[in-house]
Amino acid sequence: MARRRGEIPLLIAMAYRAMTDELHARLDAQGREPLRPAHGYTFRFLLGHDDAMSVDLAEHLGVTKQAASKIVAELEGWGYVERRPHPHDGRARVVGLTAKGLAYVEEADRMWGEAEDRWAAIIGEERLDRLHDDLLGYVEAAGDRAALRPVW
Amino acid sequence: MARRRGEIPLLIAMAYRAMTDELHARLDAQGREPLRPAHGYTFRFLLGHDDAMSVDLAEHLGVTKQAASKIVAELEGWGYVERRPHPHDGRARVVGLTAKGLAYVEEADRMWGEAEDRWAAIIGEERLDRLHDDLLGYVEAAGDRAALRPVW
DNA sequence: CCATAAAGTAAACGCGGTTGACCATTTCGT
DNA sequence: ACGAAATGGTCAACCGCGTTTACTTTATGG
């Protein structure tokens, strides 16, 4: 297919939009709390950082520590995360996923997996593998810029 | 490379984030008005819809007509778009890009093109072509869900 | 030790969207 | 053709979610 220069970023934006749309439609149908992308990104961050503090989350999401603190408080109220005192630092609190939070991530992964399957049905598994590698190549080259965080 | 199921959507999110980040950093450096992604999406929509009304833009962006109207008013104030009375409908106003608006889209396309070039340097032109086709395949299958609009 | 930095909290504000009410014009049903 | 409903647009009030500003408490390092 002919490719106009500069078209790929637009396609990425559209694909991203379509996929998140689909996920959130399914989440709504489950009658969950109104989770936003920032919440999902929070869960993923906590998964990979065992003794994370609010301030670490703030840096990862690219927001102020107050905003991160609000997000954590909200998620704590819903039972997705919990805060414990930091073992060595009296000022700090450690944020961690609860069983409910972990279950959400697994559920989301299943849904993303299904989206992938539908994609695979269109272009095939091998091309999906290459797509994965190509995306990974770009993301790794982008470094910190490619953090998993909200767009605006 | 090994691929975890459900990983691709996350990579798309990261790639999207990295690319928009890069574009907006460049726009800031140009000393432009503080254009947001919704503005860019507005320009693209106007490009493809010659006699669009605010209400059409609202539907495209997935916001209320009041919000779309605010966006148009703001862009009009900055000189990127103009509003003219609708030829056949006394209630309506037709929104169109000005020369400045058109120039912005061309500038953005150049920047996206450069982002593509850097990507091509990593994975090669042929793979970029396939990436384009694969993304297009997904986006076309997603239909209306894959509109070019903000994510949340 | 004491000055500075760092984690967290609280309150006021601001931006960008929605909701609700309304006007003017157009379209539709009978 | 005429009245009712629908449509494009605007205005004002509100609200969610982030920032700014200010402060408290605990660590850290000359």
Side-chain angles (χ1 to χ4, degrees), chain A residues 36 63-64 66-67 70 89-91:
Chain A
R36 286 164 281 137
V63 299
T64 60
Q66 293 89 329
K70 278 186 191 178
D89 190 333
R91 297 167 301 178

Side-chain angles (χ1 to χ4, degrees), chain B residues 53-55 65-66 69 83 91-93:
Chain B
M53 296 173 297
S54 287
V55 99
K65 60 183 180 176
Q66 293 91 326
S69 212
R83 279 187 286 198
R91 297 167 303 178
R93 311 235 248 150

